[in-house]
Amino acid sequence: DSSTSRGLGDVYKRQVQDSRVSGPQFALTIIEFCCSSDSKLGSEKYRSPGVRVIKITKDDDASTKEGLKYILSIIYDPLSGHVIVMSSMPCTWGCTWQIVNEGRKCMDNPAVYARYLEKQEEHRKLFEKLMSALEAIADALLCVGGDLVHEWGARNTLWHNRRIKAVIKKLNMHRVYFCLLYTSDAAD
């Protein structure tokens, strides 16, 4: 049946057609993917009219179906306007400190090394779950013409992960190196 929806992309296209009369409620929606509850980007004092910022924190658990469904509902909502996802996925698994840790003398201790390997496995599993969510988010952004900004340290080995490389290629992203983005005011 040609009228049957084939997925969220089709739902989005129908919603856009239905909302053309009124237009988007927000000019810009920024989704902070994997941020802290006190991130400065999402602070009320930095918001402009017509811009909404939605924080996706550990409590929202983007690694679950429910968490991902919530994010996708925002991306596909035609009232969201232009959508930018600011991704700060945990990078511990690929952090350069892992190389330092592996070379530490205490790693000669079998118990310490076993705990280190267990922790690394936890970091890997979390990365894999969140990466699956990020891949679905990238597909949705491609469908609606949104953008993704993904932040990790320049030397993080996860930049070489085949899955993150595929997302970068799919969205025609470019790597930009910056030392620190800092927001401050006298009250901070």
Side-chain angles (χ1 to χ4, degrees):
D1 181 333
S2 61
S3 65
T4 304
S5 172
R6 296 195 192 329
L8 287 174
D10 293 331
V11 171
Y12 169 75
K13 289 172 190 168
R14 280 197 312 277
Q15 287 176 336
V16 168
Q17 290 169 348
D18 295 343
S19 70
R20 284 197 182 131
V21 176
S22 62
Q25 181 176 351
F26 300 97
L28 177 65
T29 296
I30 298 172
I31 301 172
E32 286 189 90
F33 180 68
C34 298
C35 71
S36 65
S37 58
D38 63 348
S39 76
K40 293 199 178 205
L41 179 64
S43 174
E44 288 289 333
K45 62 184 166 185
Y46 300 117
R47 292 195 192 169
S48 299
V51 177
R52 82 172 158 171
V53 180
I54 298 170
K55 296 179 182 186
I56 305 299
T57 67
K58 190 175 188 175
D59 293 337
D60 298 307
D61 200 355
S63 69
T64 65
K65 287 181 183 178
E66 296 78 23
L68 179 58
K69 185 176 178 181
Y70 172 63
I71 297 166
L72 294 177
S73 73
I74 297 164
I75 293 171
Y76 284 116
D77 182 352
L79 299 179
S80 290
H82 186 76
V83 178
I84 299 175
V85 174
M86 303 290 289
S87 173
S88 295
M89 275 177 47
C91 62
T92 312
W93 188 46
C95 173
T96 52
W97 274 104
Q98 300 309 330
I99 297 166
V100 172
N101 286 338
E102 286 178 6
R104 292 174 59 205
K105 182 72 174 150
C106 65
M107 291 300 176
D108 292 341
N109 179 323
V112 170
Y113 190 66
R115 282 195 308 273
Y116 168 76
L117 290 179
E118 285 173 21
K119 201 69 173 160
Q120 281 294 84
E121 183 60 13
E122 289 174 26
H123 295 314
R124 185 196 65 77
K125 285 179 181 177
L126 178 60
F127 170 80
E128 294 295 340
K129 286 180 181 180
L130 291 172
M131 192 62 223
S132 293
L134 190 65
E135 288 166 332
I137 289 167
D139 288 340
L141 290 171
L142 196 58
C143 181
V144 303
D147 294 300
L148 174 68
V149 176
H150 187 74
E151 171 269 321
W152 278 333
R155 293 199 171 125
N156 193 296
T157 61
L158 294 176
W159 285 115
H160 304 290
N161 179 280
R162 67 174 175 73
R163 293 173 74 188
I164 199 70
K165 282 181 162 185
V167 167
I168 290 168
K169 184 176 181 178
K170 179 184 287 188
L171 294 178
N172 194 28
M173 295 172 68
H174 302 278
R175 288 187 59 188
V176 176
Y177 297 99
F178 56 90
C179 182
L180 180 65
L181 175 63
Y182 183 72
T183 348
S184 176
D185 63 23
D188 288 340

